[in-house]
Amino acid sequence: MRIAIPSLFLLMSFFLIGCSVQKIENVPYLQSTSNSNSQPSLNIFTPKTSNSENNTVLVFVHGGNWNSGKKELYDFYGKNFAKKGITTVVVGYTLSPEADYKVMTTQVAEAIKWTQRNIGEYKGDPKKLFLTGHSAGGHLVALATMNEEYGIEPSSISGIILNDAAGLDMHHYLQQYPPTTTDNYLSTWSDDPEVWKKASPIFYVSENTPEIMMYVGEKTYPSIRVANKRFLEALKPFQPDLEPILLDKKHIPMMTQFLWPWNNRYQEMVRFMNDN
């Protein structure tokens, strides 16, 4: 499960931001008196031309194996959704080894709660709030929402869109491949199987889980295919109609496909948001 995201995104994002979209940068979301320069922040993308003050809201959390990546690489994602009338929030968070999975999840949860309180100022409707994440980001949005410890009421989330999500069952994965210092996994997960269980969204699946939409790459990492299958099996009793959307792609192309605003994923995701 050694996963990286290419820096090509940063260059592409620079060219793809359009004049029809307003970008609000580096908004702090933690309630802290610390130096704001050292605190994680989020970027907001909202359509300039929309007459609506009640746009659907999408919160996106990036991947990067929990130890790499940054929100600035994903301007294209926020811009493309904003051009479709979706107010989009792209979240930054502290990476391993400076933070473990719990700190990251807590920060993502705080970003979601900040959005619920404040997104009305940016043409967004907090009652139409969806979450999405690629790779490690999928793990973080799922865990932040499904584990009540992080303070989010599941019924306040309209739906979760998982894009080739990693880490949905870290307990199962790390039992087979115990963490080492490689990729900061010891810093992220510790060596305690009980911690691995607490870190795994699969153990929080319930009737309260928001509606899920799942993308899985048919050529992705085996660990991601296995974890998504196990997660789906756990979720089926509560969401029996859920069928994952399987794409003939490797892990990183599951995200880079969104560079192109005409990609079918945009229409599929907007349809899911309109239906829930």
Side-chain angles (χ1 to χ4, degrees), residues 99-249:
D100 62 12
Y101 88 90
K102 189 169 184 179
V103 170
M104 296 180 217
T105 309
T106 299
Q107 290 181 356
V108 168
E110 290 303 311
I112 295 168
K113 287 182 274 190
W114 183 95
T115 301
Q116 291 174 320
R117 293 192 305 268
N118 297 284
I119 203 63
E121 300 176 19
Y122 305 94
K123 301 184 179 181
D125 184 352
K127 294 181 180 179
K128 295 190 292 186
L129 179 63
F130 292 83
L131 311 177
T132 188
H134 172 248
S135 192
H139 163 265
L140 294 171
V141 297
L143 188 61
T145 306
M146 294 168 61
N147 182 351
E148 63 182 15
E149 173 183 348
Y150 296 99
I152 294 176
E153 173 54 53
S155 64
S156 70
I157 304 301
S158 299
I160 300 173
I161 302 167
L162 302 175
N163 182 10
D164 220 41
L168 296 176
D169 190 354
M170 287 307 295
H171 182 259
H172 180 261
Y173 175 77
L174 292 173
Q175 282 182 313
Q176 300 174 80
Y177 307 100
T180 66
T181 55
T182 301
D183 292 323
N184 307 119
Y185 268 32
L186 266 177
S187 299
T188 306
W189 310 108
S190 86
D191 57 2
D192 184 349
E194 287 303 309
V195 172
W196 307 342
K197 185 176 290 188
K198 292 178 180 178
S200 300
I202 194 171
F203 291 100
Y204 304 98
V205 169
S206 76
E207 61 185 3
N208 297 320
T209 301
E211 287 294 315
I212 299 287
M213 179 182 188
M214 296 176 69
Y215 289 110
V216 182
E218 292 182 314
K219 298 177 181 177
T220 191
Y221 299 104
S223 59
I224 289 180
R225 290 201 306 270
V226 169
N228 274 266
K229 182 179 179 181
R230 291 173 63 84
F231 184 81
L232 179 63
E233 289 171 350
L235 189 59
K236 274 289 187 178
F238 307 104
Q239 298 185 27
D241 296 331
L242 173 61
E243 294 293 338
I245 299 174
L246 304 178
L247 301 174
D248 185 30
K249 293 183 182 295

Side-chain angles (χ1 to χ4, degrees), residues 243-272:
E243 294 293 338
I245 299 174
L246 304 178
L247 301 174
D248 185 30
K249 293 183 182 295
K250 295 182 179 180
H251 182 64
I252 291 174
M254 290 292 288
M255 190 67 226
T256 55
Q257 65 181 318
F258 286 94
L259 284 164
W260 319 119
W262 52 84
N263 185 276
N264 289 337
R265 306 295 80 76
Y266 285 106
Q267 288 76 18
E268 292 164 354
M269 290 175 65
V270 170
R271 189 179 308 121
F272 174 78

